[in-house]
């Protein structure tokens, strides 16, 4: 099992940048696929970016070229660098850890609010 704690959210003006961090506790962090999801008011939770144990990344079309996901297995941490932020990026951002054995095991952080507004 793994516990996840997000940090780095806040209020930023359009065009600005933020870096989210997700610190994981527990063993075998490097075995987990990690992802960032977000949920805006009245909308479903959506995948923003993911990174596999082999560091293959994928992004939602809406954030490609602006957001970068990375991981530091030595620090048990995954990051989301967000540049050129837009008001539509406003949401609660959640960190996800997925371990695939005979089935998928999903773990979630508590979420961190990102607000993009002038």
């Amino acid at each position: 099992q793994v516990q996840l704690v997000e940090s780095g959210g806040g209020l930023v003006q359009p065009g600005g940048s933020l870096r989210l961090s997700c610190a994981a506790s527990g063993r075998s962090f490097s075995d987990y696929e990690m992802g960032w999801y977000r949920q805006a008011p009245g909308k479903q939770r959506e995948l923003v970016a993911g990174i596999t144990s082999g560091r293959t990344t994928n992004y939602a079309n809406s954030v490609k070229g602006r957001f970068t996901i990375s991981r530091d297995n030595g620090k048990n941490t995954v990051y989301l660098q967000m540049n050129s932020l837009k008001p539509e990026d406003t949401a609660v951002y959640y960190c996800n850890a997925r371990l695939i054995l005979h089935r998928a095991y999903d773990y979630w952080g508590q979420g961190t609010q990102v607000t993009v507004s002038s």
Side-chain angles (χ1 to χ4, degrees):
Q1 191 168 356
V2 62
Q3 290 78 44
L4 305 171
V5 178
E6 302 102 332
S7 61
L11 173 64
V12 63
Q13 292 186 343
S17 297
L18 282 175
R19 188 176 82 154
L20 305 183
S21 300
C22 173
S25 62
R27 298 184 298 176
S28 303
F29 173 78
S30 60
D31 292 338
Y32 287 80
E33 296 182 358
M34 301 299 298
W36 286 98
Y37 289 72
R38 67 186 180 188
Q39 187 166 19
K43 295 188 177 181
Q44 290 189 330
R45 190 173 297 189
E46 63 175 356
L47 176 67
V48 176
I51 185 166
T52 68
S53 57
R55 301 181 188 271
T56 298
T57 59
N58 65 287
Y59 298 93
N61 287 334
S62 59
V63 307
K64 280 181 181 177
R66 300 188 298 123
F67 290 11
T68 303
I69 189 171
S70 61
R71 66 190 298 163
D72 185 335
N73 290 339
K75 295 182 178 180
N76 282 13
T77 301
V78 63
Y79 304 98
L80 184 68
Q81 177 66 44
M82 305 186 293
N83 298 328
S84 302
L85 282 160
K86 305 175 181 180
E88 51 264 43
D89 295 318
T90 296
V92 178
Y93 284 70
Y94 296 91
C95 179
N96 169 264
R98 172 169 289 184
L99 182 64
I100 299 176
L101 299 174
H102 55 282
R103 68 172 180 88
Y105 294 84
D106 280 299
Y107 303 93
W108 295 91
Q110 82 286 353
T112 185
Q113 176 70 46
V114 171
T115 303
V116 184
S117 175
S118 56

